[in-house]
Amino acid sequence: MTRTSELDSTGNSAVVGAKNCNVALLGFGTVGSSVARILCERAITHLRLTHVLNRNVARKKVDWLPSLVQWTENIDDVLSSDVDIVVEVMGGLQPTEDWIRRALASGKSVVTANKQLIAHCGPELIDLAQRMKQQIQFGASVAGGVPVISGLHEGLAGDELFKICGILNGTCNYILSQIESNGIPFATALREAQKLGFAEADPTEDIEGLDARAKLAILTRVGLHCNVRPESIVARSIAAIDSVDFEYANQLGCTIRQISWAELRTPELRTPELKTPELKPESNPTSKGDLLFAAVQPALVELSSPLARVEGSQNLVVATGTYGGETVFGGHGAGGNPTAVAVVSDILAVARSKQAGMNYAGQPAEKTPTVTADFTAKHYLRFLVKDRPGIIASLATILSECGINIDSVLQKPNCPKSHLPFLITLEECKASLVEQALQQINSLDFLVQPCLHLPIL
């Protein structure tokens, strides 16, 4: 049967005679209500919102949705209906995982913005969708309205990507930007972020790097085709960053950002010199199998880097390929409307595939590499001490015994002797050597607090 196309009222290509695609929305919070509003206001041909599921629907109902939309608190009302696409924007691992599995098993495709769910259960859900000849799309799970998932999955499909790095958490980026620009303490910047809605009442997922780690695991699967559990990726907190660190970083021609990175090294490519010099995984020619160097942590980046120019709650992802070099994706990584745009884009992609008779759940991961954070890089060590003679000598002795060379020492003038901050930068060495040295250093009695250790990209 031949199908012809025409432009609908929104300018989108629509298939003549195509059946309506019924959509159910699970969750009517910030993102869910924005998705519903876009579907309602744009009146996209062949897409029809038929169900909205939420707790306490009596309090959630709005008068701007069509009266034919069924509001419910019971997932069975959705799963037993003629809905074609189930859109999950509730968050959390349960009951969402169970509901998405049941939706796929009942012959419905799924669109989700749930990063933790995809990070932890993505491969199993993709496999289930393929077996049921359905689709699962999750473009909104990483970087909100930035089309990085589709960009990696489709736009860069012709390349062989080996590295992904970027700023994946807008909350952390906003906090660090505020400390940098206003010279305020971390706690003050966090309170401001909470007042403005950038940070949750419990900001642990963001501050400790767990949110970005889940997103990095998803990007690693989509872009590098590696099946990686989020827990295998090292994540470190930004809570120890202080305004003095930005002063020292500036003297080094750098700033500080929470950076997520993953770089795949296969045995045939594992050589001492990499194509990208920022963070060099340690060469290990005797090791067998693939290695993935991955971490989420605050790091120093050069002021000339695109990563240094990302301010506020914006996100940026840099994908590096063997043939195409670097490709940069940037934009608003959070918020109801940007995330809803990504969700609706996925809905449209599923609907178009269904109209064309195609069912595609997503490209499965191909590799299960060993994950390590033992990069070789320059390092930033910031100390806060009770000043006395011999401190530098004591530190230099420990570092030397661990095979580490000091590159420079910087000290901010006119600081109190009881809380004296100073900086030591190290020449390139493995991160594990630095951690080994810090185990000894952090027990020294002149330290007011543990040393802050950051890699220098």
Side-chain angles (χ1 to χ4, degrees):
M1 169 177 162
T2 302
R3 298 186 178 187
T4 58
S5 296
E6 63 183 16
L7 291 181
D8 64 16
S9 60
T10 66
N12 295 315
S13 177
V15 180
V16 175
K19 158 185 180 296
N20 277 339
C21 200
N22 293 332
V23 177
L25 191 58
L26 310 186
F28 202 72
T30 302
V31 175
S33 58
S34 293
V35 170
R37 192 171 288 278
I38 292 174
L39 293 175
C40 179
E41 292 182 354
R42 285 195 60 190
I44 302 171
T45 303
H46 304 312
L47 281 185
R48 185 176 65 181
L49 180 63
T50 60
H51 292 74
V52 174
L53 180 144
N54 204 90
R55 288 178 296 179
N56 302 318
V57 292
R59 292 193 296 119
K60 283 287 186 176
K61 281 187 178 181
V62 293
D63 57 8
W64 46 264
L65 278 181
S67 58
L68 293 177
V69 172
Q70 179 181 342
W71 293 76
T72 182
E73 299 178 16
N74 188 347
I75 188 62
D76 292 327
D77 292 340
V78 173
L79 299 180
S80 63
S81 71
D82 60 353
V83 160
D84 301 289
I85 304 172
V86 173
V87 180
E88 184 273 309
V89 285
M90 296 174 59
L93 293 178
Q94 286 294 348
T96 48
E97 179 190 352
D98 178 57
W99 289 358
I100 286 176
R101 289 183 184 277
R102 291 176 61 192
L104 292 170
S106 66
K108 304 180 192 305
S109 289
V110 169
V111 170
T112 178
N114 193 327
K115 56 184 172 291
Q116 293 293 349
L117 180 67
I118 296 300
H120 287 87
C121 309
E124 296 91 340
L125 294 176
I126 290 172
D127 179 67
L128 175 60
Q130 289 174 329
R131 285 189 280 113
M132 300 307 300
K133 295 183 171 23
Q134 298 300 317
Q135 300 178 68
I136 180 167
Q137 296 284 351
F138 45 88
S141 65
V142 177
V146 183
V148 62
I149 295 291
S150 60
L152 296 177
H153 186 62
E154 298 172 6
L156 297 179
D159 205 348
E160 182 181 41
L161 301 181
F162 62 88
K163 180 179 178 182
I164 294 173
C165 70
I167 294 172
L168 301 180
N169 185 274
T171 299
C172 286
N173 205 61
Y174 177 84
I175 290 171
L176 293 174
S177 297
Q178 290 300 301
I179 297 173
E180 178 180 28
S181 59
N182 298 326
I184 57 178
F186 169 84
T188 303
L190 173 58
R191 284 195 297 271
E192 290 186 3
Q194 290 171 322
K195 286 179 184 177
L196 294 172
F198 290 124
E200 301 289 341
D202 179 1
T204 303
E205 288 275 316
D206 298 321
I207 301 306
E208 300 301 318
L210 307 182
D211 173 85
R213 183 173 71 176
K215 295 172 183 176
L216 183 63
I218 296 170
L219 293 179
T220 300
R221 289 194 192 121
V222 174
L224 306 185
H225 309 306
C226 293
N227 188 8
V228 175
R229 301 292 297 180
E231 311 86 66
S232 67
I233 299 174
V234 167
R236 295 192 173 98
S237 176
I238 68 165
I241 304 297
D242 193 79
S243 58
V244 70
D245 295 305
F246 284 98
E247 295 180 43
Y248 282 138
N250 189 260
Q251 292 184 52
L252 300 173
C254 297
T255 187
I256 301 170
R257 294 289 184 265
Q258 185 201 58
I259 306 296
S260 305
W261 64 82
E263 183 164 358
L264 180 66
R265 301 301 296 163
T266 58
E268 61 272 17
L269 293 178
R270 202 174 305 144
T271 58
E273 295 299 326
L274 299 185
K275 299 176 184 177
T276 52
E278 309 92 46
L279 275 173
K280 296 189 294 186
E282 182 70 10
S283 175
N284 185 3
T286 63
S287 178
K288 295 180 180 180
D290 300 321
L291 287 179
L292 183 76
F293 291 82
V296 175
Q297 67 182 56
L300 273 72
V301 294
E302 291 186 355
L303 292 172
S304 59
S305 166
L307 296 169
R309 296 191 290 271
V310 179
E311 297 183 348
S313 61
Q314 299 245 320
N315 282 189
L316 184 136
V317 176
V318 181
T320 307
T322 303
Y323 305 100
E326 291 186 347
T327 302
V328 180
F329 304 87
H332 292 286
N337 287 337
T339 304
V341 167
V343 170
V344 174
S345 297
D346 278 350
I347 296 171
L348 286 167
V350 173
R352 283 194 295 266
S353 296
K354 285 183 174 291
Q355 290 169 359
M358 299 167 55
N359 285 301
Y360 181 69
Q363 188 171 14
E366 300 167 358
K367 305 178 183 70
T368 305
T370 300
V371 182
T372 177
D374 201 8
F375 286 96
T376 294
K378 292 184 177 182
H379 299 268
Y380 169 107
L381 303 181
R382 192 261 291 157
F383 300 89
L384 190 63
V385 302
K386 294 175 286 188
D387 194 22
R388 73 185 192 197
I391 288 179
I392 298 294
S394 299
L395 296 174
T397 298
I398 295 174
L399 292 170
S400 176
E401 289 173 349
C402 293
I404 300 170
N405 291 330
I406 292 176
D407 183 46
S408 67
V409 178
L410 296 173
Q411 181 176 319
K412 183 181 176 182
N414 303 319
C415 290
K417 296 291 187 179
S418 61
H419 290 73
L420 179 68
F422 71 92
L423 167 68
I424 293 179
T425 63
L426 307 177
E427 294 182 1
E428 286 191 353
C429 64
K430 294 175 66 175
S432 59
L433 290 179
V434 181
E435 294 299 328
Q436 177 185 336
L438 289 178
Q439 287 182 5
Q440 301 180 56
I441 288 172
N442 284 330
S443 65
L444 297 175
D445 62 0
F446 53 73
L447 287 181
V448 175
Q449 62 186 35
C451 170
L452 174 66
H453 168 214
L454 306 176
I456 304 173
L457 305 191

